[in-house]
Amino acid sequence: MPAVNVSDTLQRPLHGLRISVTDRCNFRCTYCMPFDEYQWVERSEVLSFAEIARLARLFAAHGVTQIRLTGGEPLVRRELSKLVAQLREIEGIRSLSLTTNGALLAEQAGALRAAGLDRINVSLDTLQPDRFRKITQRGELQPVLDGLAAAKAVGMDPIKVNAVIIRGFNDDELLDLVEFGRHHGFEMRLIEYMDVGNASGWTPDKTFSKREMVDIIHARFPLREVGRASGSAPAVDYDFIDGAGQIGIIGSVTEPFCSSCTRARLTADGKFVTCLFAETGFDLKAKMRQGASDEELSEIIRNIWANRGDRYSDIRWEQLKAGTGYEPRAHKKIEMITLGG
Ligand SMILES: C[S@@+](CC[C@H](N)C(=O)[O-])C[C@H]1O[C@@H](n2cnc3c(N)ncnc32)[C@H](O)[C@@H]1O
Ligand code: SF4
């Protein structure tokens, strides 16, 4: 199928696709999905690998060049490397990456690499075992460190480490995390705590701002701003002036980047979602299972993207700055664990 590029109502093209391969997770991070029990997606409703690959091919035909697999925890989905191998075959996909909590990475890194995965983000918010247990509620630090080492050993490059910085919880570890990345050759991705979903206990005062992070890091390890990769990446990148690599900082709350957001999302149960803070998505799986043709599905994808006008984080920041009372729970957002972070 020839590529047909499409832009939304704010002239943003469609370039990225984040695919949630499962809403299940072996952790219960307090900032994401703290609940023991939840209304999980029925297994029969979860897209098969063949369905995911079919939709990914149609998205690629509309300009998607980058795919990231996420969840929930993607490595709890059995034989994920088989999906990686299928997605690797899709024409036009230049970057295929994975975001994981790392707990199962040591045992899967080799198969993922062999299937064609070269880029990986591992989430790690603290280097202190007690704190790690506290924030994940179910996880242990060491397997994640082992997973990072395994990813390095099999030659994944780049390896990025995502850390959500929460005021009063781990902001005191900012420099330790940065040093950890510099020491091991991992690119730290420092993320402002956001009000994703409805389950986290986010309040604005817990967001440790990008500006504060830059100031603290720059005082210890001088930085030079590089900008956003491809102009549209969530992170603003900085080089260490001493040549010891790079870090990225994602200021979703205090420096929103809606105007350059080119990312679509596909939930584990096949809903096409156009914003991380969306309340609903379009059920592509239902259409697919009713027998829709590639042409029909393509038209739906095109129309939804062409009508997209989302700018949730811009509006939130305008309201927070104006002090007009941003109320996170007034919006019944899809949980991040369902739509894929
Ligand atoms: C939802 S997770 C899914 C993938 C995988 N389970 C993991 O933890 O990497 C994707 C990313 O979202 C981040 N995240 C989750 N909740 C967040 C929040 N409230 N604010 C900022 N980032 C968040 C996680 O730290 C992780 O890096
Ligand atoms: S999906 Fe990722 S961030 Fe959310 S609870 Fe699981 S490990 Fe934590």
Side-chain angles (χ1 to χ4, degrees):
M1 191 182 295
V4 185
N5 291 345
V6 55
S7 288
D8 70 9
T9 61
L10 301 173
Q11 314 314 321
R12 297 169 296 190
L14 172 56
H15 284 158
L17 179 64
R18 297 203 174 190
I19 302 175
S20 173
V21 296
T22 177
D23 64 336
R24 313 282 164 128
C25 187
N26 43 1
F27 287 3
R28 287 291 183 278
C29 300
T30 55
Y31 53 72
C32 176
M33 175 38 71
F35 306 146
D36 257 350
E37 281 312 318
Y38 181 67
Q39 190 66 46
W40 308 110
V41 172
E42 290 290 331
R43 288 192 196 278
S44 59
E45 299 299 318
V46 173
L47 292 182
S48 68
F49 287 170
E51 288 172 325
I52 293 175
R54 179 179 176 200
L55 289 176
R57 217 170 281 117
L58 298 178
F59 274 95
H62 289 87
V64 164
T65 58
Q66 302 171 349
I67 290 181
R68 175 172 295 279
L69 300 178
T70 176
E73 172 46 40
L75 299 188
V76 303
R77 178 91 189 243
R78 278 175 44 209
E79 303 190 306
L80 188 72
S81 57
K82 290 195 172 157
L83 176 64
V84 169
Q86 289 182 39
L87 297 177
R88 198 71 270 188
E89 296 294 306
I90 297 176
E91 198 182 324
I93 300 303
R94 291 202 291 267
S95 165
L96 180 57
S97 56
L98 170 80
T99 302
T100 172
N101 65 27
L104 302 173
L105 184 56
E107 60 206 63
Q108 296 188 35
L112 291 166
R113 181 79 186 96
L117 188 79
D118 37 24
R119 310 170 66 89
I120 196 160
N121 286 50
V122 178
S123 301
L124 177 61
D125 311 305
T126 174
L127 298 167
Q128 300 177 13
D130 287 354
R131 238 182 220 183
F132 189 90
R133 250 172 254 130
K134 201 167 163 195
I135 191 110
T136 63
Q137 302 194 82
R138 292 188 180 179
E140 293 293 335
L141 175 61
Q142 193 56 47
V144 179
L145 299 177
D146 295 345
L148 277 164
K152 198 170 173 178
V154 300
M156 291 204 193
D157 185 28
I159 298 173
K160 299 186 182 180
V161 175
N162 290 5
V164 180
I165 304 300
I166 302 176
R167 191 182 306 282
F169 179 73
N170 62 349
D171 51 320
D172 59 339
E173 277 192 81
L174 189 58
L175 289 175
D176 292 346
L177 288 163
V178 169
E179 282 209 65
F180 173 78
R182 283 167 57 92
H183 179 72
H184 292 282
F186 304 142
E187 279 186 40
M188 289 305 304
R189 284 281 171 278
L190 303 162
I191 307 174
E192 284 184 355
Y193 183 22
M194 311 178 263
D195 63 317
V196 293
N198 315 289
S200 85
W202 182 88
T203 49
D205 55 301
K206 291 187 189 151
T207 294
F208 197 82
S209 74
K210 171 172 172 289
R211 185 70 260 157
E212 292 172 278
M213 294 189 219
V214 171
D215 288 348
I216 291 171
I217 300 165
H218 183 69
R220 174 74 181 82
F221 303 110
L223 298 170
R224 182 189 310 110
E225 184 171 329
V226 180
R228 294 183 195 279
S230 327
S232 66
V236 176
D237 291 331
Y238 296 81
D239 279 341
F240 292 113
I241 286 176
D242 66 6
Q246 223 181 38
I247 55 167
I249 309 188
I250 305 185
S252 335
V253 176
T254 68
E255 294 183 21
F257 39 86
C258 297
S259 62
S260 60
C261 177
T262 56
R263 272 167 298 284
R265 293 183 144 78
L266 187 60
T267 65
D269 59 346
K271 302 217 172 61
F272 173 19
V273 178
T274 56
C275 174
L276 179 57
F277 300 94
E279 296 180 32
T280 54
F282 184 91
D283 196 346
L284 286 175
K285 182 197 71 214
K287 286 280 171 205
M288 223 174 7
R289 291 188 182 175
Q290 283 156 15
S293 65
D294 282 357
E295 286 66 27
E296 285 165 327
L297 293 169
S298 288
E299 194 179 333
I300 293 168
I301 292 170
R302 217 167 25 246
N303 282 338
I304 290 175
W305 194 264
N307 285 304
R308 174 186 189 238
D310 305 278
R311 48 186 300 274
Y312 189 93
S313 296
D314 277 353
I315 295 168
R316 175 184 53 211
W317 184 229
E318 283 159 16
Q319 292 178 345
L320 286 171
K321 269 191 310 187
T324 48
Y326 169 70
E327 182 36 72
R329 274 156 211 87
H331 308 268
K332 190 89 186 81
K333 303 187 276 318
I334 306 173
E335 291 302 336
M336 198 171 189
I337 201 160
T338 307
L339 64 75

